[in-house]
């Protein structure tokens, strides 16, 4: 039997630094650079006390080139 798992990603905006941040299904945070294919060029991100992450609704994921679910 084939079992498919979906790994959701969550999109945030860091209001203080004005950057897009993604949290993957494993709890890792990623900074999305500006430009084309930001997910392919993501960089690890470690939130600090100054980080002000605001959740962004899922339908905005396509704007920054993210899949709704990753398998």
């Amino acid at each position: 039997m084939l079992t498919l798992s979906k790994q959701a990603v969550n999109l945030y905006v860091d209001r203080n630094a004005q950057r897009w941040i993604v949290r993957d299904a494993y709890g890792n945070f990623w900074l999305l650079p500006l430009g084309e294919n930001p997910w392919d060029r993501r960089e690890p991100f470690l939130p600090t006390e100054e980080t002000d992450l605001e959740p962004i609704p899922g339908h905005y994921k396509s704007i920054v080139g993210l899949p709704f679910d990753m398998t």
Side-chain angles (χ1 to χ4, degrees):
M1 172 194 260
L2 178 64
T3 303
L4 297 176
S5 65
K6 292 185 178 178
Q7 299 175 357
V9 295
N10 297 311
L11 179 62
Y12 300 90
V13 64
D14 181 349
R15 290 291 182 194
N16 290 332
Q18 299 180 359
R19 301 183 290 187
W20 293 108
I21 306 294
V22 174
R23 184 176 54 88
D24 66 19
Y26 302 105
N28 300 314
F29 287 94
W30 302 94
L31 169 66
L32 298 181
L34 298 176
E36 290 187 39
N37 304 317
W39 182 249
D40 295 336
R41 299 181 298 114
R42 66 191 180 272
E43 301 172 14
F45 176 77
L46 296 173
T48 65
E49 289 186 22
E50 292 80 28
T51 303
D52 182 17
L53 296 181
E54 180 178 327
I56 303 298
H59 62 273
Y60 285 97
K61 291 178 185 177
S62 63
I63 292 172
V64 294
L66 293 177
F68 282 92
D69 290 305
M70 299 172 56
T71 56

